[in-house]
Amino acid sequence: MEKFKIILKRFLLNKGSAFGGVFLILIVFGAIFAPIIAPYDWNAVDTGPRLSPPSWDFLFGTDIHGRDVFSRIIYGARYSLSVGVISVLFGIISGSIFGVTIAYIGGRVDIIGSRIIDVMFGFPSFLLSLLVVAIIGVGLWNVVFAVGLASIPHFARIIRSAALQVKEQPYIEACVSLGYGNIRIMLNHILPNIFPIIIVIATLDLGGAIISIASLSFLGLGAQPPEPEWGAMLSSGREYMRYAPWTMIYPGLFLFLTVMSVNLLGDRLSIALDARQSIGKGKV
Amino acid sequence: MNFFLKKLLIVVPTLYIAWTVVFVTLNIIPGDPVNLMLGGRPASDEVRENVRKNLGLDKPVIERYGSFLINATKGDLGKSYLTRQPVTKMIKENMWPTIELSIGGLIFGVFFGVLFGVFAGTKPNSIRDTISMIIALCGISLPSFWIGMMLIYIFGTTLGWVPIVGDGFVSLILPSISVGLFFAGGMARLTRSSLVDVLNQDYIRTARSKGISKYNIILKHSLRNAMIPPVTLLGIQFGLLITGAVITEEVFARPGLGQLLLQAILAKDIPLVQALVVYMTAVYIFLNLIVDFTYGIIDPRIRLERKNQ
Amino acid sequence: MDNLLEVSNLNTEFKSDYGSKQALHNISFKIKEGEVLALVGESGSGKTVTSLSIMGLLPNNASIKEGEIKLFNTNKDEIDILTLSDEKHNEIRGNDISMVFQEPMTCLNPTMTVGEQILEVIIRHKKISKINAKKEMIGLLELVEIPDPIQRSNEYPHQLSGGMRQRIMIAIALACNPKLIIADEPTSALDVTIQAQLLELLKKLKNSIVTKTSILFITHDLGIVKELADRVIVMYQGKIVEEGNVLDVFERPKHSYTNNLIQSLPEFKIEKRNKENIQNITKSDNEKLILSIKNIYKEFPVDKGIFKKSTETVKAVQNVSFDVKENKILGLVGESGSGKSTLGKTIIKLIEPTSGQINFKNQDISGFNKKKMQNIRQKMQMIFQDPFASLNPRKNILDTLMEPILVHNLMKKNEAKEYISQIINDVGLPSESLNRFPHEFSGGQRQRIGIARALVLKPEFIIADEPVSALDVSIQAQVLNLLETLKETYNLTMIFISHDLSVIEYFCDEVAVMYLGHIVEMAPVNKLFTNPKHSYTKALLSAVPKVKTKKTNKILIKGDIPSPINPPSGCVFRTRCPNPGIECTGGDIKMGLVEVEPNHWVDKCCVKLD
């Protein structure tokens, strides 16, 4: 457990993860306490003059309907983070079940399973998301589902190969020789050993998922006005870019910083956990 | 040659399954396409029947599936519900701007990606490594639609350096950056980590024990070995060009396949969506096939393995 | 002789997140011109760090805190290596001092032909034209005895066998006529017959063309030291504990560590045992069979991807039959590709046999499904080779040992706790270890845990697959002692798989020698080691470098081990046999064992020759 502390320390002491961590905590905090922090109602029209530039009253200015951009961004954090997390969770859980199962059973099942992954890879993931939206229709939750679904082949492929590696380890052979059942071996011995990889790829993918969902909302396929989702805000802010650039700059900046923080955390996580693995192997 | 044939044998079923998935999914969409055709206008049953016949919707699903596949291989993918033009013609008309944009994005992405990656990877944990990697991190964290708008705002609207609309090379610069930035970021990160990895290999230590200079170690021993993961990434990232096309064309109001696809989806123009997906998957798979061949050029192990098959 | 290299007061340190650790403490030694100096020690003793310090190839987290390394060139000028700039050091590396590394699989650049890799160093230092350099390169390949040098020079490393690659590494090291060659465990990754070929090559080179060159030979194998070196330095935990002439050190070791090291060699232990009680062998006449396998075949299809029409198979185990008597230890010995591990796993049904019978306690388990095996599993267990990979890193020791008991419903959880701490004490670990995780233990301790896991179900029969190969010599001896005691207390029967002949000789009652899937000779240990009949066994026995016995004429077998995918027709050994008969080469000759003496079985092919 001492080693765990070292990993934690190594993780926390890094400037990158510190920045990412602090920003994310602020965003999550803002999202939870939005009603307290936000100075105005996110949906109240004509809170101030329309398209007024940033000022002390309206920190990030107002939009075409006179709504406070800052308040909308704070409320918008509720969307961006949760939708990203939900879509990644959906993708990673499905991908893990699929990947671990085909890798462990092996033989024909693995070959057919891998073929399915390959065929799904035949579609570029964004195209797959678009296709899913085309089928199930426009809407924020449909987009979340579409992005999650499109990420499954990617997750399944990585997790399959990780599970395959673990499966080849002598300690799994030992499990078989001790007469353990398949489900026990998968859940109790393979899964815990690929868990760090699952965490890392999920975190590394979270940023991409947030961007994808925001992009689809920007294209008008996801969140619909007046919802303060950042992508949707950018979509409407875009028309007044010339006269009121703040309606476009600030939501995007928050989106960018959120994604960057998530990516920073993912990077540090993967470095920290990798180091742990090399300790496990005995070479410091 | 043998390898090529085998690859083709994998590509064909993949395409077939992909197209079948497209056909099936788009034919289970709730809502009657006839209504879409009529744009919600009321019409008599006779008119409806006519429209149905015109679209070939009176035939059984299996027959439509069969003719879809046959026509797809011929490149004839039916007519748009909305414009009633052959979709192939529409694709042809909108193809070039997207190809231009994709090439632009690709060049920007590969050039800056490899440049920053090598710059950082050759001196890990130095200041230049840190700075390069922060830039690369920004690259993968910037939403392309936002950076597109920011570029327009800064260089087009405020500074007036670059025309926002119009033809020609100059107007391609900003869209290419917007398409290629994510690409470049990912490429730089992977090139760096791959290079750092290679520089830690035993054979690099061997080269050092031979007294080979640092410059030659990087040039002759490292780069080639380090380029295999980035080339793989390249294959996957071709998909990003489609993302880039859809979003960047929307942001920069450029015509192209991305715009076409977006409109088709919003209007539920099924033949057009079908055709575009079929076309894009084919191109994507074809580009990945090229990447597959590139491996052989880079890595003699793969080349010889293929020869022996 | 003059000194060529002087290392004085060398202190090297490693930095990590856990603080810094000194790897070398005040290392001082000299290498004379033309001598072979051996640097011996177990893992972590600092021998590789010493060599990398001389080469200036230390990893980034290591630094030399103190010390001097002086190299004397032809004009007796003194060069202080540690003060050189990287460019100046590059002039020396590969030119005056060159190095051969341990891992032939990873030490050559996979994307350059081996010819280019030799050329590179010649052109770099000799500054001659490419045509001349090419001539030299071919000459070097001939020197290291690579057949078809011109064709081979155009091949990539992965097309060559491990032994060939190591010859390439030697060619690179020799290319610029260096004054010093540092060889870091150059044969440790190779099979014993290939190792013998390389050692022979090194001796030949040493006696002919590179007489002026000094060699710093780093190894853990005392037998090699005896065979090759003039002088030896023994290192332990970063310090030099003994230095002297090879003969002196082996006969009259001054330091207790050196003495222990020598005494823990199986050959010494065998001698000691023989002196103590010769009667030991006739102790039990229990002839009850516990395991009897008949005509076992195991063939794997070669993975050809999605088109499952693979016509080629790896012929891993071919027509193997033998009996194991209760309370005996059968040794399975062979080089890589011999199928010994596959055979072990097939017997315990981790792998399904292609055909044949496995009679375990009078029932044929070869056709048993998972459910039927469940009861058998309790009675036959396995000990695995790699102590680092055979324990689940995410489970503490208690969980690892508890799980099998619960799965098999042997006893209740609270009873089991007591039972487990009993077992962990039996394998020589304190009960407190139960709450710890595998990474907190050393290799030897982990192997003890692996043994405890195999014992926990109270098995009668254990297959030990190279249980001590990954361990240092002294730890090896401890683990073998432990296994010996446990065999008595737990009343075990064992199959002991190993590539190490001396360990087999020390530990087993009977031994079967495997080559490319076949058993070529099988006999009680004392018979086989004193009177080997098969040419392969003879070559194998003579290939092992030993400290005690002087070997005058080695039986060297030529060439590499053929691939088990395409084993030679007829007798599989004929391609490397020193005196193959015409009848061996025929495609229709069938291999099979004949009893030449009571209990001594030899493959027919070799019997005819005698």
Side-chain angles (χ1 to χ4, degrees), chain B residues 6 9-10 202-203 205-206 208-214 220-221 224-225 298-301 303-304, chain C residues 55-57 90 93-94 101 106-112 117 120-121 124-125 156 158-159 169 172:
Chain B
K6 275 198 174 162
L9 281 175
I10 298 172
D202 285 348
Y203 56 82
R205 195 182 54 186
T206 306
R208 287 178 63 201
S209 83
K210 285 153 77 175
I212 310 296
S213 66
K214 265 186 190 156
K220 285 166 89 177
H221 289 267
R224 189 168 183 173
N225 287 298
I298 300 175
D299 192 336
R301 279 168 297 188
R303 185 179 356 157
L304 288 156
Chain C
M55 288 299 286
L57 293 178
N90 265 339
R93 279 196 284 255
F101 296 93
T106 53
C107 277
L108 291 168
N109 188 335
T111 55
M112 277 169 93
Q117 297 187 52
E120 188 182 40
V121 69
R124 162 76 179 85
H125 292 294
Y156 290 92
H158 71 277
Q159 295 172 277
M169 278 302 295
I172 290 172

Side-chain angles (χ1 to χ4, degrees), chain B residues 34-45:
Chain B
V34 178
N35 282 341
L36 292 169
M37 275 288 306
L38 296 168
R41 278 164 292 159
S44 67
D45 285 353

Side-chain angles (χ1 to χ4, degrees), chain A residues 10 178-180 184 193 279, chain C residues 17-18 374 392 403-404 408:
Chain A
R10 184 187 295 181
L178 288 164
Y180 297 173
R184 173 182 286 272
N193 279 293
I279 294 166
Chain C
D17 287 0
Y18 318 110
Q374 192 73 3
N392 188 338
E403 199 173 1
H408 286 270

Side-chain angles (χ1 to χ4, degrees), chain C residues 321-481:
Chain C
S321 310
F322 57 70
D323 299 335
V324 186
K325 293 174 199 108
E326 203 163 85
N327 242 324
K328 295 276 184 194
I329 304 173
L330 170 73
L332 274 184
V333 71
E335 296 178 281
S336 51
S338 65
K340 52 188 192 307
S341 267
T342 311
L343 179 59
K345 285 177 188 168
T346 309
I347 291 170
I348 204 169
K349 293 253 293 175
L350 283 174
I351 302 174
E352 291 293 318
T354 308
S355 67
Q357 278 183 20
I358 304 165
N359 294 309
F360 179 68
K361 304 191 83 181
N362 295 321
Q363 48 179 339
D364 181 8
I365 61 165
S366 60
F368 276 23
N369 59 17
K370 230 183 149 149
K371 231 181 196 162
K372 273 181 145 180
M373 271 311 286
Q374 192 73 3
N375 288 325
I376 308 287
R377 292 248 178 262
Q378 226 191 86
K379 302 203 178 80
M380 52 200 316
Q381 276 301 311
M382 187 146 183
I383 299 169
F384 294 87
Q385 169 172 11
D386 186 345
F388 293 95
S390 61
L391 297 174
N392 188 338
R394 311 220 147 242
K395 297 241 170 223
N396 70 15
I397 309 311
L398 182 64
D399 287 347
T400 299
L401 299 181
M402 182 71 88
E403 199 173 1
I405 297 176
L406 298 181
V407 167
H408 286 270
N409 256 327
L410 278 191
M411 51 185 91
K412 293 224 173 67
K413 213 168 177 178
N414 35 355
E415 288 173 68
K417 260 190 186 158
E418 211 165 294
Y419 172 64
I420 287 170
S421 52
Q422 169 66 35
I423 283 193
I424 205 81
N425 290 334
D426 279 356
V427 298
L429 292 173
S431 311
E432 293 85 64
S433 359
L434 289 172
N435 297 320
R436 295 201 268 156
F437 283 85
H439 69 255
E440 299 174 59
F441 295 94
S442 70
Q445 289 172 324
R446 285 189 219 199
Q447 202 55 304
R448 285 168 192 267
I449 296 164
I451 293 169
R453 180 179 57 191
L455 290 176
V456 95
L457 290 178
K458 303 177 180 164
E460 297 166 38
F461 175 71
I462 282 185
I463 293 184
D465 187 1
E466 304 255 16
V468 295
S469 317
L471 308 174
D472 279 323
V473 186
S474 54
I475 310 293
Q476 235 178 41
Q478 291 169 10
V479 173
L480 284 177
N481 285 346

